[in-house]
Amino acid sequence: MILNGLFEKEFKAINIGLVSFKEALDDAEYKCIQVDWSPPAGGDADALAALNALAGL
Amino acid sequence: MAVKGIIKTGEYYDSVSLMLVARALTEMEGVEDATVVMGTAENKQILEASDMLLDMFKDASDTDLLIVGKAVDEAKADEVIERAEELLIESKQKKSASGEHMPKSIEGALDQEPDATVLIISVAGRYAGDVAMDGLKKGLHVMLFSDNISIEKEKELKEYGREKGLLVMGPDCGTAIINGAPLCFANVVKRGNIGLVAASGTGLQEVSCIIGNEGAGISQAIGTGGRDVKSDIGGIMFIEGIKALEADEATDVIVLVSKPPAADVLAKVADVVKDLKKPVVAILIGGDPEVMTAAGANAAQDLEQAGLIAVALSRGESPDGVPASLEARKVEIIKQAEEEAAKMKDGQKYLRGLFSGGTLCDETQLMFKVDIGPVYSPAPIDPAFKLDDIWKSKENTVVDLGEDEFTVGRPHPMIDFLLRKKRIVEEAKDPETAVILLDVVLGYGSNMEPAAELSPAIKEAKEIAAEAGRHLAIVCSITGTYKDPQNRKKVEQELKDAGAIVLPTNAAASLLTVEIIKILGGK
């Protein structure tokens, strides 16, 4: 199966960031879910690194 | 002059929303400058450089929102802050206007839509790499619009993606079309049997629009981000994309678009191409076409030719007729160049190209290099032609206003035309300017009213030249389709009404410019 069947499956997206990218997909009638994202660990770089280490990322 | 500001703690907005708010504030009467940014170290530096880093901002963190206005008096500065808060509320309301539930994480989104296939990421680069890996680990293909991601992280993501059969488009991937869906800055092109793999955003847009405007269609257009074809990444996703299109039943022709790949990557790509059963068209801007020709591909000279050859092949026709049709149009363009050059005053002899698309800027540079010679640019093909001051043109000059040095603290020039409009007027004042060349990129993500933005500047530039007894040619190309939300036909007409010469592609617009400058002797 090519790319896990990406080309055969119905296109459905998740958008993290600029809302205009979701709006474009809405306008073109494709399904897209917007994530209400904010920086992890309140944007603190050290705390983020520690969290990532814990999460195994 | 009064400078006032406030901090709003724990409020997060994306950078484009904030830039649009700041832009609206700077357009208020009596306001000299205004900024609305998250309190990151980089943003604080930008504020300091413009004398707007208030003492209260110094300890602000990444999640603090800083609002600052510089205005004629205190009352006006207060008004800026007030207006900013109103605009931010409007922006939040817009975000949730659809009434859809917005999950806080990828897991939440997958609970809501377990069949999601693609994750689109446009958050700040320092977070985007981890978000992408999180998505890949959950089995999602990734479209990574964000830039400022390390090359090591890119490699890690792409190696993981390749192992799991997942696409990693980007970082810094501006556009793609998957199963007909336009991702980020993409144009509306009907579905068809031509598949694209591109390590160049505007290159992909230009070729897909040419294909669409010729009545043909796109099966898939896979972006990889420009760094994919450098040695460090080794063309991982470029090659995976080619293999996927070769295996895809809906794809009959494969088009490869890229700035010159590293020699070792080019050799790897050629090695894959030579074993393909489907016809391949390759446009490697500034690269050696011989390697691709030897691998059995149809090597095109420019983006337009690549699109036209692909269309011919997609219809089962020979691509041999394409050069002849372009030659016939060249005769017309040369005639038009003669007419334009004849109207110009002695001393007018140079090109000033003001671009929003990097690949289009490169394509123009290359056409000038072949026919006239190298041109000055902040990113020249010939290093000896590097512009000393990026804000000031010299002889023949082209600038890509989408380069990082021009976009600090402001949206991309496909969204915000302010910088380009100012520069158009500046270039018109130079008695040596003969042609101002502009690209107008349509599609999702781009400014919805490009002609309304550019027309006043085009008219002003032509008036400035006319008052000094000069005839200034303003040549525009349009990258877009007739189905794009901006309406290509309307944009064309409005630009013509403003006094611009409009040509269908960047290759055609650059050819007209080259021919005018050749006649005027502007080497």
Side-chain angles (χ1 to χ4, degrees):
Chain A
M1 200 163 42
I2 325 159
L3 299 173
N4 296 301
L6 173 67
F7 300 159
E8 288 80 40
K9 290 181 190 163
E10 185 188 346
F11 179 88
K12 288 180 184 175
I14 297 171
N15 187 45
I16 298 188
L18 306 178
V19 182
S20 56
F21 295 158
K22 175 202 161 37
E23 289 169 347
L25 287 166
D26 285 347
D27 189 57
E29 297 180 353
Y30 288 89
K31 182 87 187 165
C32 181
I33 291 183
Q34 179 72 28
V35 172
D36 188 14
W37 187 87
S38 54
D44 182 323
D46 293 336
L48 177 63
L51 269 181
N52 284 346
L54 280 173
L57 285 172
Chain B
M1 197 62 63
V3 183
K4 283 201 159 186
I6 56 165
I7 299 179
K8 293 177 84 71
T9 303
E11 292 214 17
Y12 180 78
Y13 293 85
D14 69 63
S15 58
V16 171
S17 301
L18 294 181
M19 285 169 184
L20 293 174
V21 170
R23 166 85 190 276
L25 299 176
T26 50
E27 283 172 355
M28 287 168 67
E29 213 183 303
V31 175
E32 188 184 300
D33 206 351
T35 305
V36 187
V37 287
M38 302 309 297
T40 62
E42 298 91 338
N43 287 336
K44 284 192 256 182
Q45 276 177 4
I46 294 169
L47 286 176
E48 188 159 30
S50 47
D51 285 330
M52 293 203 291
L53 186 67
L54 299 172
D55 280 343
M56 62 154 102
F57 291 163
K58 286 181 181 160
D59 294 326
S61 81
D62 285 16
T63 46
D64 291 330
L65 180 68
L66 316 183
I67 304 175
V68 56
K70 195 193 275 185
V72 282
D73 54 38
E74 298 235 338
K76 201 76 204 173
D78 283 333
E79 217 179 288
V80 173
I81 310 284
E82 220 170 278
R83 182 72 188 130
E85 296 198 82
E86 285 168 12
L87 290 168
L88 289 167
I89 291 168
E90 280 173 28
S91 154
K92 269 257 161 67
Q93 282 167 345
K94 199 181 156 206
K95 194 173 167 184
S96 55
S98 61
E100 289 172 26
H101 171 66
M102 283 195 288
K104 299 271 183 199
S105 63
I106 300 174
E107 288 92 336
L110 282 169
D111 283 344
Q112 216 169 308
E113 196 55 77
D115 301 332
T117 49
V118 176
L119 175 65
I120 305 164
I121 303 166
S122 54
V123 299
R126 62 189 174 285
Y127 306 116
D130 292 339
V131 174
M133 188 51 99
D134 190 15
L136 289 171
K137 288 191 171 166
K138 291 181 170 64
L140 293 165
H141 298 273
V142 167
M143 166 81 179
L144 198 43
F145 181 82
S146 314
D147 58 4
N148 291 319
I149 290 170
S150 72
I151 197 110
E152 294 79 17
K153 189 78 187 177
E154 176 172 353
K155 195 167 185 192
E156 184 193 338
L157 292 169
K158 286 182 167 172
E159 283 176 343
Y160 185 86
R162 177 172 58 189
E163 191 192 319
K164 302 288 180 189
L166 296 167
L167 282 179
V168 180
M169 297 182 279
D172 203 11
C173 181
T175 178
I177 303 172
I178 301 295
N179 296 1
L183 303 189
C184 302
F185 284 71
N187 302 87
V188 182
V189 184
K190 72 170 182 178
R191 298 204 70 182
N193 62 351
I194 302 173
L196 268 68
V197 182
S200 139
T202 32
L204 186 154
Q205 284 191 271
E206 178 83 338
V207 175
S208 59
C209 289
I210 289 162
I211 290 168
N213 292 336
E214 286 292 313
I218 299 288
S219 55
Q220 309 289 344
I222 298 166
T224 67
R227 272 195 326 211
D228 194 83
V229 293
K230 303 293 173 203
S231 295
D232 293 327
I233 305 296
I236 295 177
M237 282 298 144
F238 204 80
I239 289 169
E240 290 306 301
I242 297 171
K243 288 180 182 168
L245 293 178
E246 172 78 352
D248 175 36
E249 281 181 13
T251 300
D252 292 329
V253 180
I254 299 171
V255 184
L256 309 180
V257 185
S258 174
K259 291 180 190 180
D264 57 329
V265 179
L266 182 60
K268 267 199 251 179
V269 171
D271 213 38
V272 175
V273 166
K274 75 174 170 37
D275 293 331
L276 300 180
K277 295 196 169 55
K278 293 178 182 175
V280 176
V281 183
I283 169 69
L284 309 175
I285 294 161
D288 179 4
E290 274 310 304
V291 182
M292 293 313 292
T293 310
N298 297 274
Q301 299 297 317
D302 54 52
L303 296 162
E304 182 175 31
Q305 208 186 63
L308 296 178
I309 291 173
V311 170
L313 290 167
S314 77
R315 291 175 174 151
E317 296 164 4
S318 159
D320 298 346
V322 172
S325 70
L326 288 174
E327 273 305 310
R329 191 187 62 187
K330 187 174 177 178
V331 174
E332 290 299 312
I333 287 180
I334 291 173
K335 203 174 136 208
Q336 195 175 8
E338 285 164 353
E339 287 165 11
E340 284 297 312
K343 290 185 242 173
M344 287 179 193
K345 200 174 167 182
D346 280 354
Q348 279 189 277
K349 52 185 174 175
Y350 293 126
L351 151 75
R352 301 294 151 81
L354 307 175
F355 288 86
S356 58
T359 306
L360 302 177
C361 183
D362 288 347
E363 184 176 55
T364 301
Q365 279 204 56
L366 204 73
M367 289 175 71
F368 260 77
K369 190 181 173 206
V370 171
D371 269 349
I372 292 180
V375 299
Y376 285 93
S377 172
I381 292 178
D382 180 341
F385 282 73
K386 191 165 173 63
L387 212 53
D388 301 327
D389 177 354
I390 59 168
W391 302 101
K392 207 171 169 349
S393 299
K394 180 177 171 185
E395 298 176 16
N396 289 314
T397 290
V398 292
V399 292
D400 167 17
L401 295 165
E403 283 283 350
D404 294 348
E405 54 231 280
F406 292 106
T407 56
V408 176
R410 57 169 77 82
H412 193 276
M414 286 180 196
I415 299 169
D416 183 350
F417 284 62
L418 193 66
L419 206 56
R420 194 145 68 143
K421 289 192 286 190
K422 280 187 185 167
R423 185 99 176 219
I424 289 169
V425 172
E426 282 310 305
E427 301 296 355
K429 292 176 188 163
D430 184 342
E432 292 192 326
T433 304
V435 182
I436 295 177
L437 178 61
L438 307 169
D439 62 341
V440 181
V441 181
L442 311 183
Y444 286 114
S446 291
N447 189 301
M448 289 306 289
E449 294 283 350
E453 290 273 0
L454 285 172
S455 293
I458 291 172
K459 283 181 193 161
E460 189 183 343
K462 289 193 75 97
E463 277 163 20
I464 289 168
E467 276 165 22
R470 300 192 296 272
H471 170 77
L472 177 65
I474 299 184
V475 180
C476 297
S477 70
I478 299 183
T479 298
T481 72
Y482 295 94
K483 290 177 189 160
D484 279 332
Q486 292 89 347
N487 187 345
R488 179 175 174 132
K489 200 170 178 182
K490 178 171 158 263
V491 173
E492 273 175 12
Q493 194 54 53
E494 286 177 14
L495 290 171
K496 281 180 187 167
D497 290 346
I501 298 169
V502 182
L503 285 150
T505 64
N506 184 59
S510 302
L511 177 63
L512 175 63
T513 308
V514 164
E515 294 300 329
I516 294 173
I517 302 299
K518 234 196 253 177
I519 296 167
L520 299 171
K523 288 180 182 172

